[in-house]
Amino acid sequence: MTRGPVLHGELVRLRPIEPRDADRLWEAVQDPEGMRLTGTTETFTREQIDKWAAVVSDRPGRFDWAIVPAAVRDGVPVSDELIGEIVLNDIDPERRSANLRLQMLPNYRGRGYGREAIEEVLRFAFVGGPEHPGPRLHRVGLDVLSINPRAKALYESLGFREEGRLRDVYPDGDGWSDAYVMSVLEDEYVSAND
């Protein structure tokens, strides 16, 4: 049984991660550029990915969505294959805060899918909807690496503001990368999207 709503945009549909997503999730952790740009240094086994895909959507305090194309033909989705993953995790109901994480597979970066996925998750997080009330958060935060200026610009264009910088926090080859701490607050989101 999976938890969490299915969210719909023009380009993407977000559905809870399922066991059938393991192949594409495995592909994502084999992508050196994606791992570098997200600061992921851990290595995973295929068995770990299979288990993760089978159980992650049932874990409390988080929503893990497969990003899939929204295109339909004759009322049927053209593809239901994962092209990226977006996560709202570390949900703290007392502080009404959470963390956001996004990773797109290489062939789908820079095409607007990630932007729309973030927009849908922020709408869910702050406002919800009639079919899915959402957690009604006050703050959504994230870290973005200094080696990923494109991602930082994307987050800024969606209303995230820089709160600070963690120096030399992620290993990057023989060197280190800083991370920008960013967030968007409920009132900022609502006023920008009225």
Side-chain angles (χ1 to χ4, degrees):
M1 176 176 151
T2 58
R3 52 186 287 289
V6 175
L7 306 177
H8 298 272
E10 290 183 27
L11 292 175
V12 297
R13 185 170 53 87
L14 309 181
R15 61 165 173 75
I17 296 281
E18 300 175 359
R20 65 186 164 125
D21 297 316
D23 287 344
R24 297 302 287 251
L25 292 172
W26 176 248
E27 187 180 324
V29 299
Q30 302 305 304
D31 170 31
E33 180 185 12
M35 299 292 277
R36 178 177 180 252
L37 293 176
T38 59
T40 306
T41 56
E42 188 175 349
T43 56
F44 302 93
T45 66
R46 179 57 200 247
E47 292 74 25
Q48 287 173 309
I49 297 299
D50 289 345
K51 182 176 181 184
W52 182 255
V55 301
V56 70
S57 290
D58 296 322
R59 291 190 166 192
R62 61 186 299 136
F63 294 96
D64 293 72
W65 288 281
I67 302 170
V68 300
V72 294
R73 186 176 299 123
D74 299 323
V76 178
V78 173
S79 170
D80 199 40
E81 191 167 52
L82 180 147
I83 61 172
E85 170 191 23
I86 190 163
V87 178
L88 192 64
N89 63 355
D90 298 332
I91 298 173
D92 184 332
E94 297 294 319
R95 293 187 177 122
R96 293 180 51 213
S97 69
N99 180 69
L100 179 80
R101 184 174 59 77
L102 169 76
Q103 184 174 10
M104 298 300 298
L105 290 173
N107 292 340
Y108 301 95
R109 293 182 190 133
R111 298 168 77 185
Y113 297 115
R115 169 182 287 281
E116 189 175 82
I118 295 167
E119 290 170 345
E120 292 302 318
V121 169
L122 291 178
R123 183 178 301 113
F124 168 74
F126 290 125
V127 180
E131 296 175 19
H132 40 77
R136 303 299 298 226
L137 298 178
H138 175 69
R139 178 184 185 278
V140 173
L142 55 83
D143 290 357
V144 62
L145 276 62
S146 59
I147 58 171
N148 197 351
R150 227 170 101 184
K152 184 173 187 277
L154 169 64
Y155 294 128
E156 287 172 337
S157 75
L158 290 166
F160 284 84
R161 295 184 185 178
E162 185 179 332
E163 298 179 331
R165 184 180 194 143
L166 304 173
R167 298 180 309 139
D168 285 358
V169 71
Y170 288 98
D172 182 37
D174 292 334
W176 294 89
S177 174
D178 294 352
Y180 299 104
V181 177
M182 303 181 78
S183 72
V184 61
L185 303 179
E186 175 183 23
D187 59 335
E188 295 166 344
Y189 174 83
V190 170
S191 66
N193 292 280
D194 273 346

